[in-house]
Amino acid sequence: MGKKSSYILGMIRNLAILAHIDAGKTTLSERILFMAGEVHHPGNVDEGLATMDYLPEERAKGITIEAGLSTFYWKDQQYNLVDTPGHIDFGVEVDLTLEAVEGAVLVISGTGGVETQTVSAWKKLKERGILTTIFINKLDHPDSRLDDVLMELEGRLGVRPVLLNAPSPQGLQFGMLDVITESIIVHDKNSRETIVNKLNELTPSLKQLRKEANEAASGADDAILSAVLEERQITPGQLVEGLRTLFAQGEFAPCYCGSALQCRGIRQLMTGFGLFFPMPQVEPVPLLGTVVRIRHERDGNEYALIKVGADLPEEKWPAGFSFQRVFAEMFSPVNVLCANDILALRSQNLEVTLGMRIGLDGVPIGDSPAIAKVRQEAYHPLLYTRIECAASADWERIDRGLQVLQRSDPSILVQRDPSVGGWILKTVGEVQLEVILSRLKRELHCDVRAGEPEVVRFETLLHKLGPRRNEFQAANGTIVAVCIQLIPNEGHRQPKITAPSLSEESTGSEAFGAASAAFHEFCEQGVRGAGGLRGFDIEILQWEVPQGCPVPWVKKVCEDSIKLLITPADVEVFEPYMAMELECSPDYAGNLIGDLQARGGKIKEFGGDGKIAKILLEIPLQRVFGYSTIGRSISKGTASYALRFIGHRSLQA
């Protein structure tokens, strides 16, 4: 790992790398670190040697699970680079990363083009106003199609790319043209690079690309517009200034291309970081920093990733606090804090929570509104799995481990299951579930028995029900009675209990709390056994509960009142539907379509380029469990697919 000691206020830039799965995102991260001299040899994902994929589960599956952090230095500037997951199951890692960065690189496969997660990542970047550089990867592949991908960027993402480099006329292996400097980076047989600044004659392709860049920049710079109209020379400096203004407006995006695997186009991309990413406007504030992630090491120890808020020498740090620079799973101590840096925080005196803002004295001063919003986002846990510990002595340790995982990952939901002395674990998808179970065993050294994952369905009310009065008479003659009605609500949200005619004293009583608990417990179980009941509000119209009435009596009358009011015919069951984007050899497309239609899939689009067939369909999640194995079997190993949650639909539809 390269070492630098200079910390300059405002000179630290935080960048994220995003992509659809298998676009080459982690490979690009490795080559950036190699080009910057931070690693001596770039690791390959296929060999399980990628520096940024350090978890055993990442190396086994060949995917990024935890957003990996590293630091590199380029052109006298420090960059913190975050390699985010591309798999949909780990989308929360992307969301939280984007709250800590000022710029991003969106990697797009030159063979796959704009895919499902590409669109999702782009939307997240635009919502947060993060300036994004696009890198079209895998141009060394014989099926790459640079021109088609450039058109897809405009058609599917709604952004106009300005291509700032391109393969030389002799091919990618020979070198890469640079549009801004009108030069070429030539590679010899040992992949050593030589920059040729003075070309004897500009190639037609380079002339055309420079002309297009000039014309794009002229839309944001009057001086460039005049030069274009008068056919005067535009210097590289003028062009960069014009493009910087253009890109800041959001309709155009800087675009580079090449091959991460072969280190082609990487130098130009990295130079573009300094040219086009805005320098963060960092003003030190009386804040030590904000917790952006909580991490766990292989030995189970915990640390926080914190975005630093102030410049602070070591002697002014709070007692018991230590900070370290993170490079994948390696740590190195620092002796000064610099605003806008991202570091690991370890504290003996403070239990951190995600989004916590920490004052200069080490005392929490509230949560970050942005991260609090991310925590509250619906990550749609679509699967639930019942898990038990193999040995009762491990119960407390596993329970504590599950709670820690839930605290650090808002997309996980853990509920204790008293019926079996275990837990119900809700996850976004199957891959996330596999990773959690693996980490529990590896990190906690406990055996966990897990049932088959099931789809999270829910029931909802079809129409208004009630009013209905129900009463319970105790042995001593005391009568407890309630009258309720159920009113459908919008958005299938959880039931809200209201009592408009009751006093604040009544609704704040222990008895009313027992009534609320009884209603919620019933809703959790549902009516038809297909999932929790939601999509309505409970209105209490009458409340005849004597003062000091025992809680079990109140719960009994309330539970019976709602049971008697709702029948199975009054509810409808909804299940999660997914958009499935599938690619395969055209020879097997028909067989795959037939199989997916038999599973309830509805074909929405079918296309391709003759070499690869692309199928977009909508299908119930329940019907595609384990389809990776099935699809590969049908297609003789040529099929790959990605899923995206699109909403719940009626089971009867």
Side-chain angles (χ1 to χ4, degrees):
M1 181 171 66
K3 295 184 178 180
K4 307 284 180 182
S5 58
S6 60
Y7 291 82
I8 305 173
L9 177 62
M11 293 298 287
I12 300 175
R13 296 177 178 181
N14 300 310
L15 308 178
I17 297 190
L18 293 80
H20 184 91
I21 193 169
D22 290 335
K25 170 182 49 59
T26 298
T27 302
L28 176 61
S29 298
E30 294 287 317
R31 269 51 183 187
I32 288 173
L33 296 176
F34 172 68
M35 190 70 69
E38 300 296 332
V39 296
H40 298 299
H41 180 75
N44 289 329
V45 175
D46 292 342
E47 298 170 358
L49 299 175
T51 306
M52 301 294 283
D53 285 347
Y54 49 84
L55 292 177
E57 291 81 7
E58 291 177 317
R59 294 183 171 178
K61 293 181 175 294
I63 62 172
T64 301
I65 293 169
E66 283 189 349
L69 175 64
S70 61
T71 299
F72 70 91
Y73 300 83
W74 187 255
K75 306 291 185 182
D76 298 322
Q77 292 187 19
Q78 176 185 328
Y79 294 89
N80 291 322
L81 180 69
V82 189
D83 179 23
T84 66
H87 198 287
I88 190 173
D89 283 13
F90 307 102
V92 68
E93 290 281 336
V94 179
D95 291 336
L96 288 166
T97 294
L98 295 185
E99 299 304 327
V101 302
E102 298 83 43
V105 181
L106 181 62
V107 185
I108 299 176
S109 168
T111 58
V114 176
E115 300 173 274
T116 305
Q117 286 301 101
T118 314
V119 176
S120 175
W122 180 256
K123 287 180 179 177
K124 292 179 179 183
L125 290 163
K126 292 300 103 184
E127 286 170 1
R128 293 166 173 82
I130 296 174
L131 182 62
T132 304
T133 292
I134 295 169
F135 184 76
I136 301 174
N137 192 24
K138 299 189 178 182
L139 294 192
D140 55 320
H141 195 284
D143 293 331
S144 63
R145 43 192 182 86
L146 177 59
D147 291 340
D148 290 344
V149 175
L150 290 170
M151 287 190 290
E152 286 182 21
L153 289 174
E154 195 164 352
R156 296 194 63 183
L157 300 187
V159 65
R160 297 175 65 181
V162 179
L163 192 61
L164 297 175
N165 75 336
S168 76
Q170 290 87 356
L172 182 78
Q173 296 295 333
F174 178 78
M176 297 293 296
L177 302 172
D178 188 280
V179 174
I180 293 174
T181 61
E182 295 182 308
S183 62
I184 183 171
I185 296 179
V186 178
H187 303 92
D188 65 16
K189 62 181 180 181
N190 297 315
S191 291
R192 287 191 295 261
E193 296 181 342
T194 303
I195 300 176
V196 180
N197 289 311
K198 294 194 178 239
L199 301 177
N200 293 330
E201 184 177 344
L202 295 181
T203 65
S205 57
L206 183 54
K207 280 184 179 179
Q208 180 61 29
L209 289 174
R210 179 59 187 265
K211 179 183 177 183
E212 291 172 2
N214 290 345
E215 291 174 349
S218 69
D221 190 296
D222 290 341
I224 296 179
L225 176 59
S226 297
V228 168
L229 293 175
E230 297 169 9
E231 298 184 353
R232 287 187 282 108
Q233 182 71 24
I234 297 171
T235 68
Q238 286 178 301
L239 180 58
V240 167
E241 285 299 321
L243 290 175
R244 187 180 292 133
T245 302
L246 181 76
F247 296 148
Q249 296 173 356
E251 293 183 11
F252 290 77
C255 184
Y256 293 87
C257 63
S259 165
L261 188 64
Q262 297 189 8
C263 272
R264 301 296 193 262
I266 310 302
R267 180 182 296 276
Q268 293 154 317
L269 171 68
M270 294 170 67
T271 300
F273 295 164
L275 295 179
F276 303 117
F277 284 132
M279 193 66 72
Q281 301 300 309
V282 179
E283 300 242 355
V285 294
L287 185 69
L288 195 65
T290 303
V291 176
V292 294
R293 283 314 267 127
I294 296 174
R295 292 283 190 239
H296 304 90
E297 298 177 271
R298 297 189 185 192
D299 57 7
N301 289 331
E302 181 180 294
Y303 66 93
L305 290 178
I306 183 171
K307 187 168 185 180
V308 179
D311 301 321
L312 212 61
E314 188 172 12
E315 58 269 20
K316 292 188 178 181
W317 296 354
F321 279 54
S322 64
F323 295 88
Q324 296 171 303
R325 184 159 304 288
V326 182
F327 192 92
E329 61 176 341
M330 297 180 288
F331 302 88
S332 57
V334 299
N335 54 21
V336 63
L337 301 184
C338 183
N340 210 50
D341 207 350
I342 300 177
L343 299 170
L345 162 66
R346 301 175 193 272
S347 171
Q348 302 170 2
N349 307 322
L350 178 66
E351 182 179 275
V352 299
T353 57
L354 190 60
M356 176 187 287
R357 299 166 75 237
I358 305 171
L360 295 177
D361 56 0
V363 177
I365 56 174
D367 282 354
S368 157
I371 294 181
K373 182 181 178 182
V374 172
R375 283 204 314 264
Q376 294 163 6
E377 289 283 345
Y379 283 100
H380 306 297
L382 304 178
L383 303 181
Y384 72 92
T385 309
R386 299 182 186 276
I387 61 176
E388 306 172 18
C389 49
S392 59
D394 293 336
W395 193 93
E396 287 189 10
R397 191 161 22 148
I398 296 173
D399 184 66
R400 186 170 60 251
L402 287 169
Q403 299 306 321
V404 167
L405 282 173
Q406 181 175 247
R407 186 165 63 88
S408 61
D409 189 339
S411 68
I412 297 171
L413 184 61
V414 179
Q415 297 173 329
R416 294 188 180 98
D417 186 0
S419 63
V420 296
W423 304 266
I424 296 174
L425 177 60
K426 293 185 178 181
T427 56
V428 173
E430 289 181 278
V431 176
Q432 186 186 39
L433 172 63
E434 291 173 13
V435 169
I436 290 172
L437 295 177
S438 173
R439 294 189 68 173
L440 283 174
K441 184 173 184 178
R442 175 172 56 81
E443 294 174 1
L444 300 181
H445 310 292
C446 297
D447 285 330
V448 177
R449 290 195 293 261
E452 289 297 319
E454 299 181 52
V455 167
V456 176
R457 296 190 175 105
F458 67 82
E459 303 171 358
T460 189
L461 202 62
L462 287 169
H463 43 248
K464 177 183 174 182
L465 293 175
R468 180 179 182 117
R469 186 178 186 277
N470 183 58
E471 65 180 39
F472 166 77
Q473 183 171 355
N476 62 3
T478 301
I479 294 178
V480 184
V482 294
C483 179
I484 64 172
Q485 65 179 359
L486 311 180
I487 304 171
N489 62 38
E490 296 181 358
H492 298 147
R493 55 180 172 80
Q494 297 292 341
K496 182 172 64 174
I497 301 170
T498 61
S501 61
L502 297 190
S503 65
E504 291 185 13
E505 182 180 354
S506 296
T507 56
S509 68
E510 181 183 11
F512 192 84
S516 297
F519 289 135
H520 284 304
E521 286 171 10
F522 175 83
C523 292
E524 285 179 5
Q525 298 299 319
V527 178
R528 297 171 58 176
L533 183 61
R534 64 171 79 165
F536 66 97
D537 294 325
I538 303 171
E539 188 172 342
I540 300 177
L541 303 176
Q542 294 178 11
W543 178 255
E544 299 173 19
V545 179
Q547 189 171 4
C549 180
V551 165
W553 296 3
V554 178
K555 294 189 73 172
K556 171 67 175 172
V557 72
C558 291
E559 184 179 343
D560 287 349
S561 68
I562 195 169
K563 276 184 178 178
L564 294 170
L565 193 55
I566 304 179
T567 69
D570 296 318
V571 299
E572 186 175 19
V573 179
F574 282 74
E575 65 175 335
Y577 262 69
M578 312 298 288
M580 183 184 218
E581 191 173 274
L582 185 144
E583 295 183 358
C584 66
S585 165
D587 296 338
Y588 304 104
N591 292 338
L592 283 167
I593 289 174
D595 182 71
L596 290 166
Q597 286 179 324
R599 295 170 182 270
K602 305 293 183 184
I603 306 299
K604 309 302 290 185
E605 293 181 21
F606 179 80
D609 58 5
K611 297 179 180 179
I612 298 176
K614 287 191 173 185
I615 306 164
L616 179 64
L617 65 148
E618 297 176 356
I619 192 166
L621 175 59
Q622 180 73 46
R623 307 303 298 273
V624 289
F625 277 174
Y627 201 75
S628 177
T629 302
I630 298 169
R632 286 184 176 277
S633 174
I634 294 174
S635 67
K636 308 300 183 186
T638 67
S640 63
Y641 69 91
L643 296 173
R644 175 174 54 85
F645 174 68
I646 55 175
H648 287 87
R649 296 181 184 175
S650 172
L651 194 62
Q652 290 78 25

